[in-house]
Amino acid sequence: MNTKNPSPDTAAPALGTNFAVPTSWGISDKKKFDALMKEVLPLLAHGYFLGDNLLTWQRNNSALADQVFVEAWENNIQNEADGAVIWR
């Protein structure tokens, strides 16, 4: 094994930003869904995103560290759904 250039499956992921909002659509049992997410999210590596009916992990959420972007997003939130669509 080449330790200077480890393969992607053995490389340690950089710590990332986590993001989650409670807004979801089309969930028949919101209480059960919330309980499942409460159980799943701690198991995921850093860098997860949960919102807008999308769950990803070990992804680059660096846009959330861009203060100008975050302020523009926050200033344009008009309802609960707007707060969930930051990935778009």
Side-chain angles (χ1 to χ4, degrees), residues 4-42:
K4 290 184 182 177
N5 295 307
S7 64
D9 60 340
T10 60
L15 295 180
T17 300
N18 294 326
F19 178 88
V21 294
T23 306
S24 298
W25 297 269
I27 305 299
S28 60
D29 187 340
K30 179 82 166 115
K31 196 173 196 177
K32 186 174 182 179
F33 176 79
D34 290 344
L36 287 169
M37 290 303 100
K38 187 175 182 179
E39 186 174 344
V40 167
L41 292 180

Side-chain angles (χ1 to χ4, degrees), residues 30-73:
K30 179 82 166 115
K31 196 173 196 177
K32 186 174 182 179
F33 176 79
D34 290 344
L36 287 169
M37 290 303 100
K38 187 175 182 179
E39 186 174 344
V40 167
L41 292 180
L43 300 175
L44 301 178
H46 290 283
Y48 67 74
F49 175 92
L50 173 63
D52 195 25
N53 285 11
L54 173 69
L55 172 61
T56 66
W57 62 96
Q58 288 192 312
R59 294 292 168 240
N60 184 338
N61 292 324
S62 62
L64 301 171
D66 182 335
Q67 194 60 36
V68 173
F69 173 76
V70 171
E71 286 177 15
W73 167 67

